[in-house]
Amino acid sequence: MVEFFEQHFNFWIYVILMMIGLWAVIAKNNLIKKLIGLSIFQTAIILFYVSLGVKENSTIPILDHHAPAAEVSADPHHNDEPSETGNHGELHPKAGHENDHHADAHVGAHAVEPDTMANPLPHVLMLTAIVVGVATLGVALALAQLIYKEFGTLEENEVLEIIKGGEAND
Amino acid sequence: MLSKVFATIAVVITGGLLLYGVMDFPAFGDPHSPPNAGVKGGGESISQYFITQTYRDTKVPNIVTAVLADYRGYDTMFETVVIFAAGMAIFAILRVVGDNNDPTKKELSSDDALSQKGDHNRIIIGTTCRIIIPIVQLFGLYVVAHGHHSPGGGFQGGVLLGSSFILLALSQNLNAALRRFSEKNYFTLAATGILIYAGFGVACQILEKNFLDYGVLQKVLFTDGPEMARSHSMLGVEVGVAFTVTAIMFSIYANLSSRGTLKDGL
Amino acid sequence: MTDQLPAIIVLTPMFGAILVSLLGNRDHRICFPIVLVSLLISLGASFGAAQEVFSTGAINYFMGGWEKPLGIGIQLRIDALNALVLLVIGSVSILTAFFSIRRIGEKNTEKTPQFYVLYLLLCSGLFGITIAADAFNLFVLIEVSSLTSYGLVAMGSSRRGTHAAFNYVIMGTVGASFYLIGVGYLYMKTGTLNMMDIRSILQSNVDIANSNAVTIAFLFILVGIWIKMAFFPLNGWLPNAYSYCPSSSACILAPLMTKVSVYVMLRVMISVFGLEWIFSHAQWSELVVWLAVIAILAGSIFALAQREIKKMLCYLIVAEVGYMVGGAWLADAEWWGLTGTIYHIIADAAMTLCLFLAAGIFVRRFNAVEISDLEGLFKKAPWTSVGFVIGGLAMIGVPPTCGFYSKFYLIRGGIDAGHWQFVAALLISSLVNAVLFFRIFEIAHFGNKPAEGHDHSHDANADEAPARQEAPLNALIPLLVSAAAILLIGLFNGQIVELIRVALEDFSTLALNLR
């Protein structure tokens, strides 16, 4: 049971966050608070996915062009250099320019151990999911504004009462 | 009260089921978990392919951008469509159309925002933002263009560009921003962005390959190999994405802050 | 060219939407031709694809040309199952497009271009959902169609519509998020997102297939899709959303959204997890069939209690969804239940389209929102009545309408599987529908209180020929076409079921070894 918690503590945290969000969506009365809950729920899912791709001692999935020429064995120092600082001088390794494609293939294949880089696929998926979440939030907020304009209140129970009152008058 | 009880029960059950599913997950950070290293019965691991072969296929060092714009470009295109649809939906829901279509011609002349009475704070904010906004835009353009080498790309740069306009609207007033980026313009820009993205794809189809198969564009882009064609096309589609995101971010702000009238913002 | 058909089907409406948004604001009259042309191209391409699929075999299409290794690119796949659904989507969208034409000057026409943009993007999303073969791509397309449908529902000017749309947004997003969680769990155990790949991994690795995570993944994907298809008791959003939205939106959303969600459930069951794995847990089948029975009864009873026409039709949709879910989970030996469900997707789309078109005409022409407003309808608008009556008879299940045949196959499956409660629920629901519709037919024919019919003779020409207020042609023709489709789908049920059985054969390594 302890390893269940210890090795998967990230999943525990994200599931708890998701449930906080979901609780707010169902239980809260105010429409904006429901939306906040929805946001929390979606964000927790995004964090969950990103944590699927984590590897121990890995760096971000951006290739560093300081990678030395093909034949040298996987260079340990290239694990520690943060790849986002842009030292992009050495685009072509020392193998010579006439073998461009060939040499670059070596840059790709030899200098990169898959275990040194985080899994890029969840990042890609979550970029999409974030955008989708923003779009949905925008539409929901527009609807909330419209509800306020028409009903004068943002509390769900009051809105339902006004609707029922309106129906009784029909 | 009843809804809170019901919510608690529902949440406990759902959370319990989710954690039950987590029980046989690989440990956090395991480099040999199925997403990271594949599974015996399946094919080659996708993520390992991405990490090792992306540079060879596309000459783009940022693997995430390469996967986003090339391997999974179809998803990204529909993501852009989602943003566009959201902008359209907010317009359709909220916008009050009628005879107030040209807010910029109202008496509240925007440039005098700085000289409104009693609003001395606005001078500081207004002037500071006037200096910052071009820098933000420049940075936004940098983020779009540099997406191949550093974290960045169309969405991130587009949001920065859109927020520069929002900053203008916040620091002065909405009319100032709308004068520079009117409603007609931003919807046209948004549609153009998607047209650029889909245009790249259709160009590939015209050249007898599948949609978004950029390698075949080497004939049109005059590169000496499909890899550089992919790299350049990725930049092209990212620009398209940035256009759409910029326009729609600002349009969402404009509609939401003015409650659909586009007259006075926040 | 035929190998580009999948891309053409999905992308043409999207291009149409861009064109409408660029050109529509200048002149609203250009919107409808663009809509029509793009949907016709998609429908034509769907026909082409269906022909190819039924003669040669499934069409696989890899976006970006990334075919090997499987899963790095996004795959689209048209096989026998979704070829039929594509045709349904294409036809329904064209008919509703005709219905939605408004003359300039009618209220709420300023946002016509935006309506058509959202309409075309919805169609593009639905086509995309149907042919997606990648689990995450399916999520993105579900969101495309959901977002556009939120916009379409909220566009009306009714107060209750706004609140209904808000609830729809929240429930729809929660549903899509559940689906996403499920896909995440599946990805964690299999390492791939391609549906075919997931299936082969689950088939070859028994320990993965039996793990908790995969079971939970299936559960969450299923619940997410159930929210989307308004399976009782997750249907809270549907009655209000479809009753208070503009008629044109209701006519495109009601027939399609729930049916495409049912198709997604079938696709996940058949192509991702595989029917053997699902039905090896036999108790699930029992449970879901009971849930379906409850859904059918609840939908029918609530429908009986409604006074408003559209609300009543919405609860009938809930009951129909119950038929389809129950049919899919019957697990009878020869898969008649599953056949019935797939046939019912096609049949129910036609029936719902016909009834909602009629309801839309009632609202627009006669301002008739409640059932009691329909008095004397048969005399005032005979052709509209013909369409409405055919739709009603199909719901009841009278031969030769398609409703009879879908019930027939479902009942056959229920008897084979021994789920007598399902058979009973189907029969009870037919009875309830008969009560409902004959009550409406009576009001429409005789008027509410026949005795007072004589009072109308104060008007000179009341008794003999009440003012003919036939529906406008652009609304009447889609109604009659859909009514004709109901009859044709019923008459040709043999051929259609043939095609469906062909589709199921591809997936049945299963079938007969299961019992």
Side-chain angles (χ1 to χ4, degrees):
Chain A
M1 185 64 192
V2 180
E3 307 101 58
F4 177 28
F5 189 73
E6 183 182 51
Q7 286 180 337
H8 301 111
F9 66 92
N10 61 322
F11 298 117
W12 276 83
I13 297 176
Y14 300 140
V15 168
I16 294 177
L17 265 179
M18 280 187 221
M19 291 304 110
I20 294 176
L22 194 59
W23 190 89
V25 170
I26 305 178
K28 284 289 184 186
N29 211 10
N30 186 313
L31 296 181
I32 299 289
K33 291 187 185 172
K34 281 184 194 271
L35 289 180
I36 295 178
L38 196 63
S39 239
I40 296 178
F41 183 53
Q42 287 182 309
T43 308
I45 297 181
I46 292 171
L47 290 171
F48 173 82
Y49 260 82
V50 171
S51 74
L52 293 182
V54 169
K55 300 180 196 171
E56 298 234 26
N57 295 328
S58 62
T59 178
I60 65 174
I62 297 186
L63 291 170
D64 177 19
H65 287 294
H66 251 357
E71 292 67 34
V72 182
S73 59
D75 209 344
H77 85 77
H78 123 104
N79 281 359
D80 313 330
E81 275 172 16
S83 326
E84 70 267 24
T85 63
N87 290 331
H88 302 293
E90 296 261 47
L91 200 49
H92 297 290
K94 304 172 186 127
H97 290 279
E98 58 281 357
N99 292 339
D100 260 359
H101 296 285
H102 202 55
D104 290 321
H106 283 275
V107 170
H110 281 254
V112 183
E113 274 293 308
D115 281 357
T116 59
M117 292 205 163
N119 187 349
L121 190 57
H123 295 240
V124 171
L125 303 177
M126 288 307 106
L127 276 175
T128 307
I130 293 174
V131 169
V132 163
V134 165
T136 312
L137 189 63
V139 173
L141 282 173
L143 281 170
Q145 272 206 354
L146 206 56
I147 291 182
Y148 187 73
K149 192 156 67 161
E150 294 184 349
F151 291 96
T153 171
L154 275 179
E155 303 288 326
E156 174 119 31
N157 53 347
E158 294 176 23
V159 169
L160 285 172
E161 270 178 36
I162 297 180
I163 291 181
K164 278 208 188 58
E167 266 180 24
N169 290 341
D170 274 343
Chain B
M1 194 48 214
L2 186 60
S3 72
K4 289 196 165 52
V5 169
F6 170 67
T8 317
I9 299 177
V11 155
V12 164
I13 296 181
T14 314
L17 287 170
L18 284 171
L19 288 170
Y20 172 72
V22 167
M23 278 206 304
D24 44 25
F25 269 18
F28 177 51
D30 178 12
H32 298 290
S33 63
N36 298 334
V39 153
K40 287 195 311 295
E44 179 184 344
S45 159
I46 304 176
S47 66
Q48 292 201 339
Y49 180 90
F50 284 146
I51 295 178
T52 51
Q53 305 298 331
T54 303
Y55 194 71
R56 188 196 57 151
D57 281 341
T58 58
K59 291 280 179 298
V60 167
N62 184 347
I63 304 180
V64 172
T65 301
V67 175
L68 189 70
D70 189 357
Y71 293 95
R72 296 191 75 97
Y74 180 62
D75 265 350
T76 309
M77 185 182 77
F78 270 107
E79 185 187 341
T80 321
V81 166
V82 164
I83 281 268
F84 179 71
M88 278 288 151
I90 294 179
F91 178 91
I93 293 172
L94 207 51
R95 183 85 171 85
V96 178
V97 279
D99 46 5
N100 54 352
N101 269 336
D102 212 344
T104 57
K105 293 215 173 74
K106 298 291 178 187
E107 321 82 42
L108 184 63
S109 59
S110 43
D111 276 340
D112 291 342
L114 288 181
S115 59
Q116 281 172 7
K117 277 194 245 175
D119 239 346
H120 300 292
N121 294 335
R122 290 199 154 216
I123 298 183
I124 302 180
I125 296 179
T127 317
T128 318
C129 289
R130 262 186 177 178
I131 301 178
I132 292 182
I133 287 174
I135 302 182
V136 171
Q137 293 185 326
L138 209 54
F139 185 61
L141 289 172
Y142 160 79
V143 168
V144 174
H146 214 244
H148 284 202
H149 301 281
S150 66
F155 293 100
Q156 297 86 326
V159 169
L160 280 167
L161 286 168
S163 64
S164 71
F165 287 104
I166 298 179
L167 185 56
L168 181 61
L170 280 175
S171 62
Q172 296 190 12
N173 60 30
L174 190 58
N175 292 330
L178 281 173
R179 267 188 358 156
R180 291 164 175 80
F181 198 20
S182 72
E183 182 174 41
K184 207 158 74 86
N185 286 349
Y186 58 63
F187 278 124
T188 313
L189 190 65
T192 311
I194 303 190
L195 212 51
I196 293 177
Y197 202 129
F200 270 94
V202 171
C204 305
Q205 280 193 306
I206 295 179
L207 292 172
E208 312 271 325
K209 284 284 192 166
N210 279 354
F211 189 73
L212 294 177
D213 190 354
Y214 304 133
V216 75
L217 290 178
Q218 58 176 323
K219 306 176 197 149
V220 176
L221 294 174
F222 304 117
T223 62
D224 52 340
E227 299 90 12
M228 282 317 285
R230 294 203 183 104
S231 179
H232 295 318
S233 311
M234 270 195 250
L235 182 60
V237 300
E238 293 279 2
V239 166
V241 169
F243 281 175
T244 306
V245 174
T246 308
I248 298 290
M249 283 295 139
F250 181 62
S251 103
I252 294 181
Y253 171 79
N255 276 318
L256 282 180
S257 67
S258 64
R259 274 176 258 123
T261 55
L262 290 192
K263 271 200 281 203
D264 316 301
L266 285 174
Chain C
M1 197 60 177
T2 47
D3 53 335
Q4 298 297 325
L5 282 177
I8 294 178
I9 296 177
V10 179
L11 295 169
T12 317
M14 192 190 82
F15 275 108
I18 304 292
L19 275 179
V20 169
S21 84
L22 283 173
L23 303 174
N25 278 317
R26 260 170 258 167
D27 184 0
H28 288 190
R29 285 172 306 179
I30 203 174
C31 298
F32 181 71
I34 298 180
V35 171
L36 194 58
V37 166
S38 31
L39 289 175
L40 279 173
I41 295 179
S42 280
L43 184 62
S46 308
F47 267 115
Q51 266 190 325
E52 163 109 16
V53 166
F54 285 117
S55 56
T56 358
I59 305 178
N60 281 318
Y61 187 88
F62 291 91
M63 279 292 173
W66 299 107
E67 201 170 322
K68 294 265 183 305
L70 190 62
I72 58 173
I74 295 177
Q75 181 187 0
L76 303 179
R77 186 181 161 87
I78 307 185
D79 56 21
L81 178 56
N82 44 24
L84 298 168
V85 181
L86 284 176
L87 294 174
V88 169
I89 299 176
S91 342
V92 170
S93 55
I94 292 183
L95 290 174
T96 315
F98 275 107
F99 175 74
S100 67
I101 304 178
R102 305 282 210 102
R103 285 164 299 220
I104 309 287
E106 278 190 41
K107 60 177 178 136
N108 285 337
T109 48
E110 313 93 19
K111 293 193 185 160
T112 310
Q114 282 70 29
F115 173 79
Y116 283 120
V117 167
L118 290 174
Y119 188 92
L120 282 174
L121 288 177
L122 174 69
C123 295
S124 182
L126 289 172
F127 282 126
I129 291 179
T130 313
I131 62 180
D134 179 283
F136 191 77
N137 189 31
L138 188 59
F139 167 74
V140 177
L141 288 163
I142 288 179
E143 286 293 340
V144 169
S145 51
S146 301
L147 216 78
T148 47
S149 66
Y150 304 152
L152 285 171
V153 165
M155 265 187 88
S157 44
S158 80
R159 289 201 324 176
R160 286 180 286 185
T162 324
H163 181 70
F166 189 84
N167 271 336
Y168 179 26
V169 169
I170 294 203
M171 287 200 76
T173 310
V174 169
S177 304
F178 276 5
Y179 174 82
L180 192 57
I181 296 178
V183 169
Y185 273 61
L186 209 52
Y187 176 61
M188 187 52 153
K189 284 312 258 183
T190 57
T192 174
L193 291 167
N194 184 301
M195 288 188 188
M196 311 290 135
D197 214 3
I198 296 179
R199 176 101 195 276
S200 67
I201 291 179
L202 287 179
Q203 273 182 323
S204 46
N205 292 24
V206 183
D207 46 332
I208 294 185
N210 289 337
S211 62
N212 298 345
V214 171
T215 314
I216 297 293
F218 180 64
L219 177 66
F220 272 85
I221 293 179
L222 201 62
V223 173
I225 300 176
W226 280 350
I227 297 180
K228 284 285 180 191
M229 70 166 84
F231 185 56
F232 188 84
L234 299 165
N235 65 320
W237 57 272
L238 189 133
N240 288 333
Y242 290 172
S243 316
Y244 302 127
C245 68
S247 303
S248 314
S249 310
C251 290
I252 182 72
L253 290 173
L256 291 182
M257 287 298 288
T258 44
K259 316 302 170 290
V260 172
S261 306
V262 172
Y263 158 78
V264 171
M265 178 183 80
L266 290 177
R267 174 61 67 193
V268 166
M269 281 170 66
I270 295 178
S271 297
V272 177
F273 289 92
L275 291 168
E276 317 92 71
W277 180 81
I278 298 179
F279 294 125
S280 64
H281 306 236
Q283 64 273 30
W284 292 356
S285 160
E286 278 288 326
L287 179 61
V288 176
V289 172
W290 272 107
L291 287 175
V293 165
I294 299 176
I296 298 176
L297 295 175
S300 306
I301 295 177
F302 278 118
L304 209 46
Q306 299 303 319
R307 289 180 313 158
E308 297 181 26
I309 305 174
K310 275 194 182 169
K311 269 258 179 86
M312 177 193 88
L313 293 176
C314 290
Y315 279 108
L316 287 178
I317 295 182
V318 172
E320 302 280 329
V321 166
Y323 293 3
M324 290 190 267
V325 173
W329 282 80
L330 279 178
D332 56 307
E334 293 194 5
W335 303 108
W336 285 108
L338 202 49
T339 311
T341 299
I342 301 175
Y343 180 79
H344 199 58
I345 293 181
I346 307 173
D348 195 42
M351 293 195 287
T352 315
L353 177 63
C354 179
L355 288 170
F356 268 86
L357 280 173
I361 294 179
F362 297 158
V363 167
R364 267 201 216 155
R365 229 8 166 156
F366 307 108
N367 257 339
V369 171
E370 301 201 356
I371 297 181
S372 48
D373 295 337
L374 284 180
E375 25 182 299
L377 180 72
F378 286 0
K379 292 201 183 67
K380 280 191 266 187
W383 286 109
T384 313
S385 311
V386 165
F388 182 62
V389 166
I390 295 183
L393 293 176
M395 275 292 189
I396 301 174
V398 172
T401 61
C402 53
F404 171 74
Y405 292 107
S406 52
K407 289 205 168 76
F408 172 72
Y409 292 117
L410 288 171
I411 290 183
R412 184 171 168 184
I415 297 180
D416 276 353
H419 288 294
W420 295 99
Q421 68 274 28
F422 187 63
V423 176
L426 282 174
L427 294 172
I428 295 180
S429 145
S430 296
L431 220 57
V432 170
N433 286 355
V435 168
L436 264 174
F437 278 100
F438 277 108
R439 192 179 62 179
I440 302 183
F441 295 161
E442 187 189 348
I443 294 180
H445 188 60
F446 295 113
N448 227 348
K449 294 164 190 159
E452 291 181 18
H454 296 293
D455 289 345
H456 293 293
S457 60
H458 289 297
D459 267 3
N461 37 8
D463 262 341
E464 285 81 28
R468 281 285 207 102
Q469 265 183 295
E470 191 58 82
L473 219 54
N474 73 306
L476 192 54
I477 294 190
L479 178 63
L480 293 176
V481 169
S482 60
I486 290 182
L487 292 171
L488 287 173
I489 295 177
L491 288 169
F492 286 105
N493 73 90
Q495 280 88 317
I496 298 183
V497 168
E498 262 303 306
L499 295 175
I500 298 178
R501 300 299 275 179
V502 163
L504 287 181
E505 291 223 342
D506 295 338
F507 309 121
S508 10
T509 52
L510 43 114
L512 318 169
N513 310 332
L514 208 56
R515 298 273 151 140

